[in-house]
Amino acid sequence: MASPAGCRVLFVIDSAAIGGAEHVIWSLLQGLPRSRVEPYLICPSSGPMVERYRRAAAAVATLDGRGCLSPLSIL
């Protein structure tokens, strides 16, 4: 089933701290054309960037415990 926006994109980042990679993801989320792309994000549940991510993405899934890049977390 196609997304109303056309394409769904999932971003995964293992930090929600304030730093370079986190700002790059946030900038990408904000800059995507919502008429064509529906962005989703998986990140840790704590950190100052989580609320920014929630405002910029279609949906944010947060994970506790294991890192976001752990195969068990992704499953």
Side-chain angles (χ1 to χ4, degrees):
M1 180 162 114
S3 160
C7 179
R8 293 179 182 152
V9 177
L10 176 64
F11 294 89
V12 179
I13 188 163
D14 66 348
S15 171
I18 294 177
E22 295 80 6
H23 279 284
V24 168
I25 294 292
W26 183 55
S27 294
L28 284 169
L29 290 170
Q30 289 185 307
L32 290 171
R34 288 300 185 97
S35 61
R36 296 180 15 216
V37 179
E38 190 174 5
Y40 294 86
L41 178 80
I42 297 174
C43 69
S45 61
S46 63
M49 294 297 288
V50 174
E51 286 310 310
R52 290 182 189 182
Y53 291 152
R54 287 190 195 283
R55 289 191 301 269
V60 175
T62 58
L63 300 173
D64 290 322
R66 293 190 273 280
C68 293
L69 301 179
S70 163
L72 293 176
S73 294
I74 294 171
L75 290 175

